[in-house]
Amino acid sequence: MPPLVGRDDDLDRLVSVVSASPAVVAVEGEAGIGKTRLVTELMAHPLLAGRRVLVGACRQIREPFPLGPLVEAVRGLGEALAGVELSPVAGALRPLLPELTGMLPPRPEPVADRATRRHQVFRGLVEVLGAVGPAILVIEDLHWADEQSVEFLDYLVSVPPSGLSIVLTMRGEEAAPRVRAVTVRLPETVRRAWIALAPLDPPATGTMAAAMLGIDRVSEEFAVHLCQRASGLPLAIQELVALLHARGTLIRHDGGWARRVLSDLDVPAGIRDPVRERVSRLGSAAKAVVEAAAVLQTPFPESLLLSVARLSTADATDGLTEGLASGLLADYRPTTVGFRHVLAAQAVYGGITGPRQRELHARAAEALRELRPMPAGQVAHHLRRAGRLTEWVAAAEIAADQAVALGDDAEAVRLLAEVLRHAPLDTARQGHIAVKLGRAALESLRQDPEVIDLLTAALEHDQPAAVRGELRFALAILYDAFERHDLQRELFAEALADLADRPELKAWAMVGLGIPRSLGVPAAEHQMWLHRALQILPEVANPVVEVFLLGKVAMVLAPMGDPQWRPVTDRIVRCTGGTPRHPREVNAYHSVALDACRAGHHAVAARLLDRAREGAATAQNELLELRIQIALALLDYCQGRWGGLGERVEPLIEAAKSSRNHLDGEVVAGCLALANGDLDRAESRLTRLVRQLERHYAFDVLAIPVAASARLAVARGDLDQFLAGLDRFIALTESSGVWASAVRALPSVLQALVAAGWVDQARLFLIRFARQLRGLDVPLAPAALHHARGFLDAAERRWPAGGRHFLAAAERYESLLCPYEAAQAREQAAMCLFEVGDPRAEEVLRTAMTTFDGLGARWDLERAASIARQWGMSLPARHRGGPRGYGSALSPREREVADLAATGRTNREIAAELFLSPKTVDKHLSAALRKLGLRTRTALARYLRDAVDG
């Protein structure tokens, strides 16, 4: 093996990070760059002596066997686990690791839910890895990893055992974004590094070549030429030098190489031709063995390799010996042989003629069929390349079924999609495979446009009604990820006619039609479909699916104020015995609780979330636990439990960023920023959030951030932008009918309208809103209507009436455990009472201030204190935590606006980038210019440039 050249700094960095566990290191580089060699040197480094090294590799041709590289890494740990006491969860590994059965606890009680089973396996793997530390886990070729392996590594790096270091190698250009993201979000306690290997330069190339040839040096001219031909890839350099040496064309001359030799060095850059020429120099038996290995691609037992090569016993021994001696093949484990590098295997494979390739693939399929268990995925691969397409389809379907049984739905999607794309199928077979693809895609949550195209293509043929209905149903669900709600609705409606014998899918499609997802469909139509679904649900045989769909129905009916949401919720509780166990049952509790909270049913929401949290913990489902924690944060915000809430919600938002689950957390964070007096941050966050919610048609989430935005617009006198977007909020509310949750915005919207002088419009808006609330189950309605009427009375200087409405609102808010809204109503009541000299004014205002102070609502407290001072109330002379001035210095927001203005951006462009209004940008820019004593943007740009240069 040639020496490691040009990688000293990379190796030192790798050793430094890995030696301080827990650590995660990614080693990236193109094929042949030396990733494996660097890791090999790491494992032999004296500073890491005594550490256990566990190695697994991802394969390009893989079986429907999730977590394969992890299983490969830990399956040999029997001796290390002897005498180690493991918790019961490690028993979940028994089906994956029969080699360790004697060392593992009994298998836990089987659970039906795949996500729960998967999480048990994840926890078991982490426990085993932690039990054998200090250790180094190496996963090679992560760009070929199956989805479950990537999901596990995401889980592992978030909570790595203290004695574990993780090294991941990958080809960066071939790695999917999710693969590359594994190392992005790591705990602060985990050391990390990303090492990108670069091609060798000419001096390093010369050093490597000289070492291989056993001399001190090669000429600079030779090194440059060799580097160019090999593109600096160590593997290519190795192959080229070995080829030239084998040719006997290298001639020493004064410690260098003769000029004429360079003229002979005209092989193509890279690896292909040098490898093929080396193969051509092998004997016929060795060549047959090497070609068989190239077709198999991954290491296999000698017996299988020789079966594919079809050699006599004597020839097989000679051929295998020569193949290993050539350096092209290597022993991986006793009696297991494969190529040293996948590029070399691909180079050999490309040199085999088409008919010979097909023959070898057919032999490989036949040999693999004899193995037990049969590696169906690899059999399918070889049958396809042998041109035996009918057999390939059957094998691929078997492999996909195995993948589904193992919970690896993503692999099933890959296998079945390949068949639909490339196999000659009749209509019936196409429909059969497409239905399986649709089911696997729904289970794996694959947001793949190609899957949609394949299912759509199957529908273009004359499929039986049952197939047609299920395909349309699957497409409708998949289109949700792409927000094609018009097409989704059409597919649900069309599917219903063909789902007569599938009540669970029929009810699900009705629920899909009942969930408001776009404008233009009357709310009454949504309700009609939800009530029809309730009539079908008793026919659903699967109780878990029934509860899941009941949760969807109640989730939509609650923010609509439809009284039926209560009996539906009671039915969910009865069906589950008050304790959700399956993740879909937990999901139902969570979904209903979240929308009940938004609609003001706080006590019901608290009970459901408490049970949901217990169920998620029992099911060991971290995603559900995260969603429940975000829902609890929203409930705590609504009920005024703000202590530590801001610090608690930010990590939840970050953890949920990859899905829409973070939106309620963003609501909490934006509203808290406003209450805390961070107005610029609140404006930026709320503006962005409202746009996002409108874009996703998240009707039931909108009211709270809209209310906060209205209050901020009133405080800043910047009402134009808010009022311009008000029609959108009204249209979304009317279309979806979510009046029970929308009522949260009613008082603040009325306040904004009257502040803008639109009193008549405010009155009409209130009448229209109140009419919609009649007969609905809306606990917040009495408080919100009193609150809104108070603003109308105050606008028309009817102070006593205004005071009565505000005080009535405060009492009703308090009964619903809404202290923040109660304090706001009292603040407004005090202003009305002061106007008529009512002696209750001071006490009412002090009560509001006490509530604001207890909540930590500094912005509201300062505003109430300003009212108190205006009316001559005595207050303690102390700073109450509000925003302090910056004097002649620029505030952070002023500096941010100034920096952008100095680049030539207009106020409107700055506003769009920072999610501010142009008026707010102008205010900050004017303040910055005034403080700096400047008049123009040009002078500002020069000032900032000089400040940096100075």
Side-chain angles (χ1 to χ4, degrees), residues 919-930:
K919 281 187 178 180
T920 301
V921 170
D922 183 67
K923 182 186 73 173
H924 288 311
L925 183 57
S926 298
L929 291 171
R930 184 180 66 253

Side-chain angles (χ1 to χ4, degrees), residues 783-806:
L785 288 170
H786 276 300
H787 200 165
R789 286 168 182 148
F791 282 117
L792 268 180
D793 288 334
E796 295 177 336
R797 305 180 67 82
R798 294 194 297 272
W799 306 117
R804 287 194 299 273
H805 280 303
F806 285 130

Side-chain angles (χ1 to χ4, degrees), residues 261-278:
V261 175
L262 287 174
S263 63
D264 293 336
L265 192 62
D266 53 3
V267 294
I271 297 166
R272 183 193 60 204
D273 290 350
V275 169
R276 289 185 188 175
E277 186 163 344
R278 289 176 67 192

Side-chain angles (χ1 to χ4, degrees), residues 141-183:
D141 296 322
L142 194 63
H143 50 278
W144 286 331
D146 63 278
E147 287 200 9
Q148 279 199 38
S149 293
V150 176
E151 188 178 342
F152 170 73
L153 289 170
D154 265 332
Y155 177 78
L156 176 64
V157 301
S158 68
V159 285
S162 58
L164 183 69
S165 291
I166 303 163
V167 179
L168 309 170
T169 74
M170 70 184 82
R171 300 181 196 171
E173 73 279 4
E174 296 182 30
R178 187 180 176 192
V179 172
R180 295 180 65 86
V182 167
T183 61

Side-chain angles (χ1 to χ4, degrees), residues 71-144:
V71 170
E72 180 184 345
V74 303
R75 67 178 6 139
L77 286 175
E79 183 178 334
L81 292 173
V84 175
E85 187 173 344
L86 298 170
S87 73
V89 75
L93 299 179
R94 280 180 171 243
L96 286 178
L97 294 164
E99 301 93 336
L100 301 182
T101 298
M103 308 297 171
L104 296 173
R107 188 177 179 184
E109 192 70 26
V111 292
D113 178 59
R114 291 179 182 175
T116 301
R117 292 202 304 269
R118 184 181 307 175
H119 188 67
Q120 288 178 340
V121 169
F122 285 7
R123 288 182 60 203
L125 277 172
V126 171
E127 176 150 352
V128 167
L129 290 169
V132 298
I136 303 170
L137 173 66
V138 178
I139 301 297
E140 295 245 50
D141 296 322
L142 194 63
H143 50 278
W144 286 331

Side-chain angles (χ1 to χ4, degrees), residues 703 706-711 714 719 722-723 726 729-730 742-756 758 761-762 765-766 769 788 791:
V706 165
S709 298
R711 296 182 66 225
V714 170
L719 291 162
F722 172 77
L723 294 175
L726 183 58
F729 171 68
I730 295 170
V743 77
R744 286 186 180 274
L746 176 61
S748 299
V749 169
L750 259 291
Q751 183 184 20
L753 288 170
V754 300
W758 295 8
Q761 292 91 328
F765 180 80
L766 178 58
F769 211 108
F791 282 117

Side-chain angles (χ1 to χ4, degrees), residues 660-681:
R660 295 181 199 169
N661 295 321
H662 72 285
L663 293 176
D664 285 288
E666 293 280 6
V667 169
V668 173
C671 292
L672 286 178
L674 177 63
N676 289 335
D678 191 348
L679 302 192
D680 288 340
R681 182 165 171 265

